[in-house]
Amino acid sequence: MSLKNFFKELSESENTNITMTDKQICIISAAIEIFSEKGYSATTTSEIAKKAGVGEGTIFRHYKTKLEMLLAIPNYLNKSPSSKSHMSDLTRIFESPYEKFEDFIKDVIQNRKEFILKNTPLIKVLVQEVPLHPELRDTMSESVLFPNMEKLIQAIDRFKEKGQIINIPSETIVHLLLTSMMGYFFTIFIASFHFNVDYDKEPDYLAQYILHGLSITDNKIELSREAAL
Amino acid sequence: MSLKNFFKELSESENTNITMTDKQICIISAAIEIFSEKGYSATTTSEIAKKAGVGEGTIFRHYKTKLEMLLAIPNYLNKSPSSKSHMSDLTRIFESPYEKFEDFIKDVIQNRKEFILKNTPLIKVLVQEVPLHPELRDTMSESVLFPNMEKLIQAIDRFKEKGQIINIPSETIVHLLLTSMMGYFFTIFIASFHFNVDYDKEPDYLAQYILHGLSITDNKIELSREAAL
DNA sequence: TCTCTGAGTGAGTGTTCACTCACATAAGCA
DNA sequence: TGCTTATGTGAGTGAACACTCACTCAGAGA
């Protein structure tokens, strides 16, 4: 079971001061699994205990309340070794002096795609619960989507200066990037919409699409009337 | 209160056979309001009754169970006059022989944007609950995002034949469009991410972005290695 | 006027919930 | 070995839940 491995890795890592007993690993991975299937609110603690193979009291020995379990998830995500390595890779991408925007955006997408695939159930819970628990919102944008936002904006500014991407506000570009990736992620992983498409190729079409979307082309497009006022 | 007006309009419309008493209107609009704030599962029927200003028993006179209230929402959305008019407008857009893809995509976005703004709380509930209640999924893609999908694909095929948009599978293009719009909608309306951007201009940037993203440009982009296999 | 019907009601009901607690066992240490 | 602390447990608990039901009442029809 990969979720258990995730927490085993997390517990055994030397860089984090998180130590967990076997039971505790069972509890949190069972919780995440059921949360992602039924939602936080509809999940009962007895159900978690049963799936984890522990007594119900054991849950409350480690987490004072059920809510505390949910709010602990971002913390685990942030401290996991795989997350940390993806994050530092991403920072390196943001800081590197890429020649072409194309290479930059492909590396960013590849990085986020790998990260999301490695932590799907965890992230699914976060995405699902973020509208109902605003406390989770900051973690979402800071650690799942674009950690190190300022560096990203600086990178985008550099590409704008080079004349490689369209001259609209950098915050807007970040929003469009985030929008595309969120939407892509939401439709496939969260809402499970089914499209008759090749899901292996799809992320590369996405890259191509974003790349086109922000590149400067010959056919200039006027903004519609209402945007002008 | 606009939600109450929505249902009053719905009830008084001649084309729908939906008749609702004042109390019933209060109940369903209170329910949708609380569902959108706290989520379906965390909302109690007594809370709905209190907000609607009715006795708790009255709720169960109109809806056998709490779940029935949730599942009734798509039905109301589909039968509302404003929804019907937006939907027939959209079908007309799909069928019209647009010269330029640019005009086409702008009209599509404008149509969906107006529809979403007119029905925000209702749609918010649907988006929020769709991962947990697969029954809602079909309604989402059929009535909220892209009703009349086949006609949309035919329209896209026409633009591809004219050489106005890139030659990737039409289903993929639909997915990218849906992805952009879903993501855009999710970040702003559902998850309430805050960006330091001009939200009036934002939809037009989105249009521009999508337009660019699908247009054929001089700088051809190679798909990355892994997509090729 | 009387009767019938359907909307409206809120105290009541059985169940389930998150959480507690007294106790059991294991682990660490002198 | 004995003492202390950490971990594990499941029966138990009060609160809260979705839902019921016996009842009221207003309005329509005769």
Side-chain angles (χ1 to χ4, degrees), chain A residues 97-153:
Chain A
Y98 280 84
E99 267 303 309
K100 290 159 71 184
F101 179 66
E102 177 177 348
D103 297 329
F104 172 77
I105 201 67
K106 276 186 181 172
D107 284 353
V108 171
I109 288 178
Q110 182 66 16
N111 177 287
R112 291 295 87 185
K113 178 183 137 197
E114 278 172 12
F115 171 65
I116 285 170
L117 282 176
K118 266 213 169 172
N119 303 281
T120 306
L122 250 143
I123 295 174
K124 190 176 173 190
V125 174
L126 292 183
V127 173
Q128 231 163 65
E129 300 302 329
V130 83
L132 309 175
H133 302 89
E135 312 94 290
L136 297 174
R137 196 183 303 150
D138 292 341
T139 322
M140 269 303 286
S141 52
E142 277 165 26
S143 61
V144 176
L145 295 162
F146 291 118
N148 226 332
M149 184 88 78
E150 316 82 51
K151 290 242 164 84
L152 171 59
I153 288 180

Side-chain angles (χ1 to χ4, degrees), chain A residues 1-8 25-26 29-30 33 51 121:
Chain A
M1 199 157 293
S2 98
L3 253 180
K4 280 194 190 170
N5 289 341
F6 174 91
F7 283 101
K8 202 161 277 175
I25 291 172
C26 289
S29 30
E33 227 165 290
K51 180 146 202 166

Side-chain angles (χ1 to χ4, degrees), chain A residues 106 137 168 172 175 178-180 182-184 186-187 191-192 202 204-205 209-210 212-213 217-218 222 224 227, chain B residues 39 106 137 168 172 175 178-180 182-184 186-187 191-192 202 204-205 209-210 212-213 217-218 222 224 227:
Chain A
K106 276 186 181 172
R137 196 183 303 150
I168 58 179
T172 298
H175 185 204
L178 199 143
T179 269
S180 306
M182 263 312 258
Y184 177 75
F186 185 86
T187 49
S192 312
E202 207 71 344
D204 286 288
Y205 287 136
Y209 171 68
I210 290 177
H212 265 125
T217 59
D218 290 337
E222 298 162 44
S224 66
Chain B
K106 276 186 180 171
R137 196 182 304 151
I168 58 179
T172 297
H175 185 205
L178 197 143
T179 268
S180 307
M182 263 312 259
Y184 177 75
F186 185 87
T187 50
S192 312
E202 207 72 342
D204 286 287
Y205 288 137
Y209 171 68
I210 290 176
H212 266 125
T217 60
D218 289 339
E222 296 164 45
S224 65

Side-chain angles (χ1 to χ4, degrees), chain A residues 5-155:
Chain A
N5 289 341
F6 174 91
F7 283 101
K8 202 161 277 175
E9 190 190 336
L10 179 58
S11 176
E12 287 162 1
S13 159
E14 288 159 9
N15 293 341
T16 60
N17 49 0
I18 296 178
T19 52
M20 298 167 100
T21 64
D22 279 0
K23 299 258 174 188
Q24 198 173 350
I25 291 172
C26 289
I27 289 170
I28 189 69
S29 30
I32 290 172
E33 227 165 290
I34 309 180
F35 284 167
S36 76
E37 280 166 24
K38 312 178 57 174
Y40 164 78
S41 209
T43 302
T44 68
T45 48
S46 74
E47 210 174 349
I48 296 172
K50 205 186 229 172
K51 180 146 202 166
V54 301
E56 204 173 343
T58 313
I59 290 176
F60 293 95
R61 168 99 28 213
H62 295 287
Y63 302 93
K64 262 183 283 180
T65 63
K66 188 181 142 190
L67 183 62
E68 206 172 81
M69 297 183 70
L70 179 67
L71 299 182
I73 295 176
N75 196 35
Y76 291 134
L77 185 61
N78 281 333
K79 292 197 173 168
S80 88
S82 88
S83 169
K84 279 187 169 177
S85 88
H86 277 113
M87 202 141 148
S88 65
D89 284 352
L90 190 66
T91 308
R92 209 172 305 124
I93 293 172
F94 287 169
E95 289 171 342
S96 296
Y98 280 84
E99 267 303 309
K100 290 159 71 184
F101 179 66
E102 177 177 348
D103 297 329
F104 172 77
I105 201 67
K106 276 186 181 172
D107 284 353
V108 171
I109 288 178
Q110 182 66 16
N111 177 287
R112 291 295 87 185
K113 178 183 137 197
E114 278 172 12
F115 171 65
I116 285 170
L117 282 176
K118 266 213 169 172
N119 303 281
T120 306
L122 250 143
I123 295 174
K124 190 176 173 190
V125 174
L126 292 183
V127 173
Q128 231 163 65
E129 300 302 329
V130 83
L132 309 175
H133 302 89
E135 312 94 290
L136 297 174
R137 196 183 303 150
D138 292 341
T139 322
M140 269 303 286
S141 52
E142 277 165 26
S143 61
V144 176
L145 295 162
F146 291 118
N148 226 332
M149 184 88 78
E150 316 82 51
K151 290 242 164 84
L152 171 59
I153 288 180
Q154 287 167 18

Side-chain angles (χ1 to χ4, degrees), chain B residues 87 90-91 94-95 104 141-142 146-158 170-171 174:
Chain B
M87 201 142 151
L90 190 65
T91 307
F94 288 169
E95 288 172 341
F104 172 78
S141 52
E142 276 166 26
F146 291 118
N148 225 334
M149 184 88 80
E150 316 81 52
K151 290 242 162 85
L152 171 58
I153 288 180
Q154 287 167 19
I156 287 175
D157 284 339
R158 285 200 299 276
S170 295
E171 283 265 6
V174 172

